[in-house]
Amino acid sequence: MTPVLASTLSPSAYWYLARGTGAVSLVLLTAAVVLGILGSVRFTAPRWPRFAIDAVHRDVSLLVIVVLIIHIVTSVLDGFAPITLLDGIFPFVSGYRPLWLGLGTLSFDLLLAIAITSLVRRRLGYSAWRAVHWLAYASWPVAVLHGLGTGSDVKQWWMLALTAACIVAVLLAVWTRIARVSGEYAGLRGPATALAVVTPIGLAIFTLAGPLRTGWAARAGTPQSLLGHTAAVPPVGSSGASGSSGSLRSTGSSSSTVLGNSFSSNLVGNVTQTQAPGGAIVDLTMNVSGQVHGQLRVRLGGVPIDGGGGLSMTGSQIDLAVAGQPAVLQGRIVSLRGEEFDARVAEGDGTTLNIHAQLQIDTNNNTVTGTLSGAPA
Ligand code: HEM
């Protein structure tokens, strides 16, 4: 199994889909909540009679569930993080970021309850249906927290802008709703206003103090196997093992202490090759030890070379999780020669590395050993 010839990349389609459908679900859920509120306050406009708003609200809500199912399935299929289908049904049981992933699951379960009770609304009776429907107000901020707490793109300006736009849209709708509260619900105006003010402030504080700070991946509950070892890792260039900056629990660790200099490490792991129509996918999962500790995952897609037993690469994805580094560095192979490759990996805060790996692949045992060296780009 000798991959040859570097070409273009195509990082895991599942990962892109999970991220894309996450962002789309948030936008659709926001639209469904806003349309639901507009319907309930009898909002009309010349080209938007109430029945049209109600119909769009229903269709968008069903679409949210379809997109969410794709979001959950692609998160499971991506395979990098240990997420199972059960994690998409039962909240807070996942081995991967249990709280933040669990909030997504909770929100999804609430939406399912809303959808199912809406389907049997006639048999259920209006007041019971309405009581369940109010859960929509809870499912939305819970979903926002999930996206902020577990999303890969939370540090990107566009994801923050998208989330902020969703928050503003829902706030405007909720304040319109509160202003029109009357009759038996008039007493709820005070608490609802307080909640509508406190929620966005709370979300902003959480984002600044949590996901936007370094070390969030470890604090959020990412398994050690994805981050590296818990033992303190000496910063590159230091002689002792006492440096606390390498500890995954250390929120003060930064890229300059862990990956600020050239390093070299050893690789040990295993290889799997999966045949796919028109090609094959090779996955190499390796533990990194030496001057840096962590895990390196390489995924290559390619077409078999006639008679050569090798693979002509058509795409690649690299994930490098390093102890002491707050987020996984990701990138692609830029040059591949036999069992040796050069790659460039980066993470959201701007840390970019050029890495070089020299591998020995044992096709009989499906194992791989080798060396990894890297330097700041
Ligand atoms: C109402 C329900 C949900 C909504 C609105 C939602 C929305 C989102 C959003 C906005 C993101 C951030 C995407 C990014 O940063 O690019 C995200 C990430 C993620 N969600 Fe959900 N989600 C929901 C439920 C779930 C459930 C039930 C699962 C369970 C498997 C799940 C798994 C994930 C994962 C694994 C990520 C991280 C993907 C990445 O690497 O960015 N989500 N979700």
Side-chain angles (χ1 to χ4, degrees):
M1 187 192 333
T2 308
V4 289
L5 248 170
S7 165
T8 53
L9 92 156
S10 90
S12 163
Y14 291 129
W15 183 58
Y16 274 134
L17 265 171
R19 289 159 64 196
T21 49
V24 171
S25 341
L26 183 64
V27 171
L28 288 174
L29 181 61
T30 301
V33 171
V34 169
L35 287 164
I37 294 174
L38 292 183
S40 73
V41 297
R42 314 264 189 277
F43 170 88
T44 53
R47 295 172 61 187
W48 282 88
R50 189 170 164 219
F51 74 86
I53 291 180
D54 286 349
V56 179
H57 166 63
R58 200 179 46 236
D59 292 348
V60 171
S61 306
L62 289 176
L63 191 58
V64 176
I65 295 192
V66 174
V67 176
L68 276 174
I69 290 172
I70 303 175
H71 180 58
I72 295 167
V73 171
T74 48
S75 300
V76 173
L77 289 178
D78 174 44
F80 183 58
I83 300 173
T84 66
L85 272 183
L86 288 181
D87 298 336
I89 299 167
F90 301 107
F92 312 118
V93 296
S94 175
Y96 177 77
R97 300 190 176 182
L99 175 61
W100 307 107
L101 196 75
L103 290 173
T105 308
L106 178 64
S107 178
F108 179 61
D109 289 347
L110 293 176
L111 292 178
L112 280 184
I114 295 166
I116 292 166
T117 48
S118 295
L119 289 176
V120 294
R121 181 175 164 174
R122 290 228 170 92
R123 290 172 60 185
L124 199 67
Y126 180 73
S127 43
W129 166 80
R130 194 163 184 208
V132 176
H133 222 76
W134 277 50
L135 290 176
Y137 284 111
S139 76
W140 180 84
V142 170
V144 174
L145 265 180
H146 155 75
L148 290 170
T150 201
S152 302
D153 296 311
V154 71
K155 286 185 180 166
Q156 308 290 333
W157 70 266
W158 57 267
M159 191 64 202
L160 285 173
L162 187 86
T163 309
C166 290
I167 293 173
V168 170
V170 167
L171 275 187
L172 290 176
V174 166
W175 281 330
T176 312
R177 177 77 181 88
I178 290 170
R180 300 201 189 187
V181 155
S182 61
E184 56 176 317
Y185 297 115
L188 291 178
R189 185 175 284 148
T193 309
L195 212 58
V197 171
V198 166
T199 304
I201 296 175
L203 286 172
I205 294 174
F206 162 71
T207 309
L208 291 171
L212 293 187
R213 296 276 296 273
T214 49
W216 175 247
R219 279 184 289 145
T222 308
Q224 296 299 341
S225 56
L226 292 183
L227 289 166
H229 301 288
T230 41
V233 178
V236 176
S238 99
S239 52
S242 58
S244 63
S245 59
S247 162
L248 287 171
R249 300 265 168 231
S250 162
T251 54
S253 64
S254 76
S255 50
S256 60
T257 54
V258 182
L259 294 174
N261 297 302
S262 306
F263 65 86
S264 98
S265 291
N266 297 317
L267 298 169
V268 180
N270 50 52
V271 189
T272 55
Q273 176 160 342
T274 320
Q275 295 302 326
I281 293 172
V282 178
D283 278 303
L284 301 124
T285 308
M286 294 163 280
N287 285 326
V288 181
S289 59
Q291 287 184 321
V292 299
H293 288 254
Q295 198 175 57
L296 174 67
R297 190 179 83 162
V298 180
R299 176 173 283 186
L300 296 166
V303 286
I305 299 167
D306 285 343
L311 201 70
S312 171
M313 190 177 86
T314 53
S316 67
Q317 184 189 344
I318 307 263
D319 297 286
L320 176 62
V322 173
Q325 188 68 13
V328 176
L329 293 119
Q330 294 170 323
R332 63 167 173 139
I333 292 179
V334 290
S335 143
L336 177 67
R337 298 167 303 280
E339 295 181 343
E340 195 179 330
F341 70 79
D342 292 304
R344 176 171 279 227
V345 289
E347 72 155 318
D349 74 359
T351 307
T352 307
L353 287 184
N354 289 326
I355 57 171
H356 176 83
Q358 175 84 55
L359 307 174
Q360 291 89 44
I361 295 172
D362 181 341
T363 46
N364 295 326
N365 299 319
N366 292 329
T367 54
V368 54
T369 52
T371 54
L372 175 74
S373 55

